[in-house]
């Protein structure tokens, strides 16, 4: 009996240890904190290039790409083991990044240089095809489900820009509220939700016609910034960096249905596979905060590096 019990404990421990880590990008420390979700400890702090802000999974799911904006590099990590695979140089100012859903394009927003770049991806290397001049400070990107249009917010000119992916030309631009940051598109591609970091709201645009129409501002809290889907196909979380809260939005009714206090300037988020926990970088507190959405409070914090920004793990709720 003792042998059986011991075997069970070893098996349980192995399964827990095998859970993929959480990655937290430390923007002002040029590093990535690797967090063990079983022990909630930082197991490694991996050097990157200057100012890693955002990260994205490759189409083959073999690498997580960390975009180092001031270093003009991409760091490739194994999403399961956190081992460094390689560094790709010559990717100019990769602040935000996305692969198109059809996996043909890798697109970056050059935040400090005012352009959006289109790269071809052959499964291993990137080839620059087009550099599209935009307005001031392109911030975040969203690509529609058909891979026809990429949308980008312009943080310092208060605009939303749509770029045709086939021609790499700007289709339209429209004014937004103050300091638009992250954006999220509805599953039917008809609505865009834009976080207004310079205000206290999420602005909703109807993009189903030839020209965009601002249809509503959802008041969430000061510094509305980053989004993450709740995983149920209906709700969306937004971090309110100045208000120190996270709001839950019903995308159907376009109303706030819940809110959670989070200290230290909540920024980028990830949601656990079961949808219960939100993992959020507390930007000004050098912490990864874990929010229990049932208890409706922060239940643990892990110390990370300076100015933590992007958060990601392989085991997450549906986007």
């Amino acid at each position: 009996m003792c042998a059986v019990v011991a075997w069970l404990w070893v098996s349980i421990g192995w399964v827990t240890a095998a859970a993929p880590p959480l990655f937290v990008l430390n923007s002002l420390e040029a590093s990535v904190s690797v967090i063990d979700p079983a022990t909630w400890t930082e197991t490694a702090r991996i050097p990157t290039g200057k100012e890693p802000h955002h990260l994205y999974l490759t189409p083959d799911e073999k690498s997580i790409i960390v975009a180092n904006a001031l270093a003009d590099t991409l760091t490739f990590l194994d999403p399961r083991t956190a081992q460094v695979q390689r560094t790709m140089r010559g990717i100019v100012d990769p602040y935000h990044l996305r692969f198109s859903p059809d996996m043909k394009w890798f697109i970056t927003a050059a935040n400090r240089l005012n352009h959006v770049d289109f790269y071809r991806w052959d499964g291993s290397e990137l080839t620059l095809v087009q550099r599209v001049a935009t307005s001031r400070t392109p911030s975040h990107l969203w690509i529609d489900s058909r891979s026809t249009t990429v949308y980008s917010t312009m943080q310092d000119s208060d605009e939303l820009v749509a770029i045709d992916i086939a021609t790499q030309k700007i289709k339209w631009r429209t004014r937004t509220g103050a300091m638009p940051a992250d954006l999220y598109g509805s599953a039917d591609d008809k609505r865009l939700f834009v976080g207004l970091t310079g205000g206290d709201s999420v602005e909703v645009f109807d993009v189903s016609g030839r020209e965009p129409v601002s249809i509503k501002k959802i008041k969430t809290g000061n510094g509305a910034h980053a989004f993450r889907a709740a995983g149920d196909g209906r709700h969306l979380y937004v971090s309110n960096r100045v208000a120190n809260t996270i709001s839950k939005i019903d995308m159907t009714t376009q109303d706030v249905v819940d809110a959670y206090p989070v200290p230290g300037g909540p920024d980028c988020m990830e949601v656990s596979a079961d949808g219960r926990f939100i993992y959020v970088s507390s930007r000004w507190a050098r912490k990864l905060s874990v929010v229990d959405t049932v208890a409706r409070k922060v239940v643990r914090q892990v110390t990370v590096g300076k100015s933590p920004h992007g958060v990601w793990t392989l085991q997450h709720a549906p986007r």
Side-chain angles (χ1 to χ4, degrees):
M1 180 64 71
C2 289
V4 173
V5 171
W7 178 84
L8 284 173
W9 274 110
V10 170
S11 299
I12 292 169
W14 180 86
V15 171
T16 302
L22 278 85
F23 299 90
V24 181
L25 307 189
N26 304 311
S27 294
L28 294 185
E29 195 175 275
S31 67
V32 178
S33 290
V34 181
I35 309 299
D36 183 340
T39 63
W40 293 106
T41 57
E42 182 187 55
T43 59
R45 192 170 292 185
I46 302 170
T48 62
K50 289 183 179 180
E51 291 205 11
H53 288 287
H54 298 99
L55 63 174
Y56 209 85
L57 187 68
T58 55
D60 61 10
E61 299 188 356
K62 292 182 179 180
S63 302
I64 186 74
I65 301 177
V66 177
N68 308 305
L70 278 182
D72 295 342
T73 62
L74 304 176
T75 302
F76 288 68
L77 303 174
D78 187 310
R80 296 164 180 83
T81 67
Q83 295 300 305
V84 177
Q85 297 169 325
R86 60 175 171 146
T87 298
M88 184 178 291
R89 304 184 186 282
I91 308 299
V92 177
D93 190 18
Y95 175 76
H96 200 253
L97 67 165
R98 295 191 79 91
F99 280 97
S100 59
D102 64 7
M103 305 306 177
K104 294 180 180 179
W105 297 97
F106 179 77
I107 303 175
T108 63
N111 186 257
R112 75 182 189 275
L113 298 178
N114 301 332
H115 55 76
V116 169
D117 288 349
F118 288 74
Y119 294 87
R120 281 289 187 185
W121 169 254
D122 67 2
S124 176
E125 300 300 326
L126 294 170
T127 303
L128 180 65
V129 174
Q130 188 65 262
R131 178 159 290 157
V132 180
T134 59
S135 303
R136 291 170 53 206
T137 324
S139 181
H140 288 64
L141 304 168
W142 181 264
I143 303 174
D144 70 347
S145 64
R146 298 166 296 153
S147 301
T148 62
T149 306
V150 56
Y151 302 95
S152 180
T153 50
M154 301 293 135
Q155 180 178 313
D156 291 326
S157 58
D158 298 341
E159 293 176 289
L160 174 65
V161 171
I163 305 172
D164 181 78
I165 291 179
T167 64
Q168 294 101 50
K169 295 184 182 300
I170 293 177
K171 295 165 59 175
W172 52 252
R173 64 177 70 240
T174 190
R175 300 292 296 178
T176 68
M179 288 185 66
D182 202 5
L183 65 169
Y184 187 91
S186 61
D188 61 7
D189 293 325
K190 293 182 178 180
R191 303 284 187 271
L192 277 180
F193 297 80
V194 178
L196 302 178
T197 304
D200 62 0
S201 303
V202 169
E203 189 166 7
V204 185
F205 287 87
D206 183 334
V207 293
S208 61
R210 291 179 60 86
E211 298 292 333
V213 179
S214 177
I215 57 176
K216 187 173 184 178
K217 285 187 178 178
I218 307 168
K219 189 170 183 178
T220 59
N222 288 337
H225 187 73
F227 293 110
R228 187 63 90 194
D232 59 5
R234 178 164 181 167
H235 294 97
L236 182 66
Y237 294 116
V238 60
S239 58
N240 306 303
R241 202 158 64 181
V242 179
N244 288 322
T245 61
I246 293 174
S247 298
K248 185 177 184 179
I249 296 172
D250 185 320
M251 290 187 286
T252 301
T253 64
Q254 296 172 19
D255 293 317
V256 173
V257 295
D258 210 344
Y260 316 93
V262 184
D267 204 309
C268 291
M269 296 173 286
E270 184 62 284
V271 177
S272 63
D274 62 5
R276 177 166 178 173
F277 297 98
I278 304 170
Y279 312 127
V280 56
S281 53
S282 287
R283 191 83 181 262
W284 318 130
R286 299 181 62 170
K287 302 287 186 181
L288 171 70
S289 297
V290 181
V291 179
D292 185 329
T293 60
V294 175
R296 302 179 67 251
K297 64 180 181 180
V298 172
V299 291
R300 63 170 49 89
Q301 290 186 307
V302 182
T303 299
V304 291
K306 295 178 182 178
S307 192
H309 200 177
V311 179
W312 188 89
T313 185
L314 190 63
Q315 289 186 352
H316 56 247
R319 300 294 197 220

